[in-house]
Amino acid sequence: MFEKTLTDLIQGLRANKRNEAEYIQRSLSEIQREVQLSDMHQKSVAVDKINYLHMLGYDMNWANFNVVEVMASPRFGEKRSGYLAAMQSFHQDTDVLMLTTNLIRKDLASANVMEVSVALDGLAQVATHELAQDLFDDVLAVMGHTRPYIRKKALVCACRLVGRYAEGLPEFVPLLKDRLDDPDPTVVAAAVSVVCELARTDPRSYLSLAPKLYRLLTTSANNWMLIKIVKLFAWLTPIEPRLAKKLHAPLSHLVSTTTAMSLLYECINTAVAGDIIDVQLPATDSVGREIDFAELCARKLEQFYESRDHNLRYVGLVTLAQLQARRPELVAAHYNTVMRCLDDPDMSIRMRAIEAISGMATRKTLVATVKRLMSQLVLSNTVALQPDSRAELNVESEMSDLPLINAAGASLVSAQGTIVPPKSDNTSDVADNPEYRLAAIDAIINMCSRQSYANMTDFEWYVATLADLVYIAGVDVGQRLSERLLDVTVRVRQVRAFSIKMARRLLSDSCLVDRATSDGTNSPVLATSAYIMGEYCALQPSSAEDIGLLLPPRLCKLSDEQQAVFVQAAMKVYANWLKDVSGYWNPEIWELVRSVTSSTQHTLSSIFMGVSTCAALPLQVASRLRMFAEILKTVSMATSNMGDTAPPVCAELQSLFSAYELNPVSAAAQGKVPVPEDLDLDTYIGEPIPDTMHKVMPPPSPPAPRRQSSAKDPFILPSVDDIPMVALQLDTPVHAHKPRKSKKKSRRKPKPRSPSPPPAPVDIADDEDIVSK
Amino acid sequence: MIRFILVQNRQGKTRLEKWYTSYSDSERQKLKASVHRTVASRDQKHQSNFVEFHNHRIVYRRYAGLFFCFCIDTNDNELSLLEAIHLFVEVLDAYHGNVCELDLVFNFYWVYGVLDEMFLAGEIQETSRRVVLSRMDELGALE
């Protein structure tokens, strides 16, 4: 039979590009036949072919047993094919793995170095818990092999096995520590890697290795190993602060002298993460001058993110963000550089830059930073809403030079109602990414509201920014924005009037309201705007149009809570308006009041009518609507006749809603309320119901103290409460107790049947002893 | 720790894959597709070689039509991995003499051999080119 070799298969595949699937099906059936043959060579070729097809996506589980057969072949080439196929396709739950245990054991003990190595490779890849357990000792034995090549592999393999079989760790660690002293440098490097990996989860146990590692750090020139050692020290230093001082000298030496960027990066990273920069000893820089170590790190970092290589910029920014968290003053000077990185076409760099920038915000820089971020969000606005009722979605208008936010700091969007994107370069693709937009908006919010608005100088600008974000966000951050809006309005009195203006603007934007039903249009903001308008309506002279705003025709399409908020706010505004208006009462005002009242009643009834078309009104909305209708009825009755002065109801209505001001409440406030002294939560309010009494009532006292007291006091019987307590006369003669003994015995007989807590038998035994004396 | 290694061409076909963490077959397929999507759309001139991927990082390098992607944990040193990729490709080149994608396709089991020499269980194991090449010669002699 002409069997195809692997090369033939691949060539055939490439020749049959058009009918690839059929060709593969044909080959698969041939392979199925070949793999059953007894000739090991052909079997291994078949396994190779299967392996190749597996890489293309074809399942090879049906051949698992054949793979194991090939693994057992005495010839090395075939054995290797088998192991490779196993490594590629075996999973944790492949059942034939059980068959491989002895096979691998034999290979590990083989005299042929190559067999040992391939077995180690294979084992490291496919080890399950059982395999790891069975073969652990064999691998540990191999760690003492004469060839350093094998020792190194065994080390790393054992590390892998420990991941599957954690009980082996205590045996493994002393051997690992010995390997650090191995004469061969590759083995030492492997040992360091393994220690690094293990110490990630449990640094404390490897602290004792610190002296050895320190010696390696100072003596070795192998950069790969040095990187690992430095990283390892970054994890050890937080738990052993004295290490920081010791490490300062070699690290600063490395930082000033090394030319390898990767090592430099790792050293700076460790210095920042391990707080080594806080050590007050000076270091020498490349010129030989003494300089603060932190300064040195910052300067070297500059090299990173001012380089043209994007990789260096990325890692530089990562470290910068970390350095910034610890030593903000060092980083503040690099503000401009980081701002430039915000425009980088690479999204990962931008995300890092946002992180760094939001940490760097101060009073002076806050506005500029936010402006920059917002302009990025505006540029690629394919999903933004126009604040006017123009329903265009695409901002393809002509690019002009107007900045988004003018010099006065007021937002252009809210002032003029248009978005004019500044001149852009090719940043549109990155800013389109929703993840990026979310991150940018989060950063803006964070920067502004950090530490209770420590950085804010102009709150009106902040509110305007929040309103703009509703339009240009492009992602669904409605919840966040509305929370922020509410937060700033409640906390900062001075800005409330401005907030109402903003709220009115948002609500009067019919485009926004109409869209409010679909997700992603930040509709919670509308509810918050309604709330603000209602709550603080006393600050602004309200007009009758506001009431109309708050009862839009599409009200029933909003979500339940939002509808309730709208209706409530409408009530408040109406009451407030009524009070204002009743201040100067004259016939025109009377007409106005009557017309507004009747039109509002009309709107309400249309909402009720419209119930059949949209879903049934939710309960809280219905109840509020009813209340509103009643109020309106009252007012219309009171104003049915034109009087000289306003009917009192008009002025009094507003007091329904303005009893006291709502302040923000801290989350821990409830805990601080003192419990009133006469509060007794245990007594029943009424008569306890007899049947349930025994089930409901807890045992009168807890068992532990009872055990003590009952040890002293033999009178207490713990189980059933209606047994009378009889005083035992211990010094009277025994016979006088006999009738009682039988009575007690007869009472005690039922006791084992009823569930008695543990002290009871002890008591009974004691009493019995005393009594039967 | 390296989570997995993928070598893919520009059309998304995987030429080499090595998984150091356990994923099911369907997860593997999904991962391969999403790695390809992430890496192939990046612009070499303006973007770095590191990409955030789920909650790990991918360090990748493009050589002619092949992307060599290594997925690592976030606290690993990316620059050293970049060097390791280059070392790997250099070893392949030295052994084969001007290695191209076709060589990888036809001799894939041998490429895995080199890979296993240099990376084991998710860690960089051997960084000396000379040592790896001598090992490969030994292995070749045995076959």
Side-chain angles (χ1 to χ4, degrees), chain A residues 125 160 228 231 311 314, chain B residues 19-20 49 52 75 123:
Chain A
Q125 192 73 12
R160 226 349 155 66
K228 289 276 167 167
K231 194 197 288 286
N311 302 330
Y314 177 81
Chain B
W19 304 85
Y20 293 110
N49 294 59
E52 309 278 318
N75 56 0
E123 298 294 329

Side-chain angles (χ1 to χ4, degrees), chain A residues 89-326:
Chain A
S89 67
F90 282 7
H91 290 291
Q92 288 295 299
D93 46 3
T94 307
D95 38 8
V96 296
L97 274 176
M98 290 186 295
L99 302 171
T100 58
T101 316
N102 272 325
L103 172 58
I104 299 181
R105 183 171 288 149
K106 205 163 55 83
D107 283 332
L108 281 176
S110 150
N112 182 347
V113 161
M114 291 299 147
E115 284 184 6
V116 180
S117 92
V118 84
L120 283 171
D121 282 340
L123 184 58
Q125 192 73 12
V126 303
T128 60
H129 180 78
E130 292 80 28
L131 264 184
Q133 202 169 5
D134 293 333
L135 294 170
F136 198 71
D137 297 320
D138 301 89
V139 174
L140 286 186
V142 178
M143 263 170 73
H145 204 272
T146 45
R147 298 276 298 265
Y149 170 64
I150 297 294
R151 288 206 293 272
K152 162 185 71 147
K153 285 210 177 201
L155 252 186
V156 186
C157 178
C159 171
R160 226 349 155 66
L161 291 185
V162 158
R164 301 270 179 225
Y165 168 60
E167 294 88 348
L169 187 60
E171 282 179 57
F172 175 51
V173 173
L175 286 177
L176 173 63
K177 295 187 179 173
D178 288 334
R179 287 298 122 226
L180 276 177
D181 296 323
D182 195 284
D184 186 297
T186 36
V187 181
V188 176
V192 167
S193 287
V194 170
V195 173
C196 197
E197 189 63 28
L198 291 174
R200 204 149 52 110
T201 43
D202 181 22
R204 199 163 278 280
S205 6
Y206 302 97
L207 202 49
S208 52
L209 293 173
K212 276 194 204 170
L213 292 169
Y214 183 79
R215 192 171 38 86
L216 285 170
L217 179 66
T218 42
T219 54
S220 158
N222 178 352
N223 275 352
W224 305 88
M225 190 162 75
L226 282 177
I227 291 180
K228 289 276 167 167
I229 298 182
V230 170
K231 194 197 288 286
L232 187 52
F233 274 123
W235 288 321
L236 293 179
T237 324
I239 45 180
E240 179 54 78
R242 289 173 298 174
L243 270 181
K245 285 219 180 67
K246 290 216 75 183
L247 284 174
H248 179 268
L251 267 186
S252 52
H253 175 76
L254 278 174
V255 166
S256 27
T257 54
T258 186
T259 49
M261 280 294 166
S262 39
L263 185 54
L264 180 59
Y265 167 59
E266 195 64 47
C267 291
I268 298 184
N269 225 350
T270 301
V272 171
D275 281 331
I276 300 179
I277 47 175
D278 285 336
V279 174
Q280 290 305 325
L281 302 171
T284 49
D285 73 353
S286 38
V287 194
R289 280 172 300 160
E290 281 203 345
I291 153 187
D292 184 31
F293 187 40
E295 265 295 317
L296 180 60
C297 285
R299 211 177 287 176
K300 290 280 175 179
L301 261 187
E302 234 181 287
Q303 259 185 309
F304 272 86
Y305 45 78
E306 290 185 349
S307 87
R308 305 191 59 91
D309 184 354
H310 299 271
N311 302 330
L312 294 181
R313 268 211 257 179
Y314 177 81
V315 295
L317 279 174
V318 172
T319 321
L320 190 67
Q322 289 175 353
L323 184 58
Q324 200 273 328
R326 283 170 217 258

Side-chain angles (χ1 to χ4, degrees), chain B residues 23 32 37 44 51-52 54 63 67 107 118 123 128:
Chain B
Y23 294 109
K32 284 196 275 194
R37 269 198 308 269
Q44 284 295 102
V51 146
E52 309 278 318
H54 299 162
Y63 290 93
F67 290 98
N107 300 323
M118 292 187 57
E123 298 294 329
S128 153

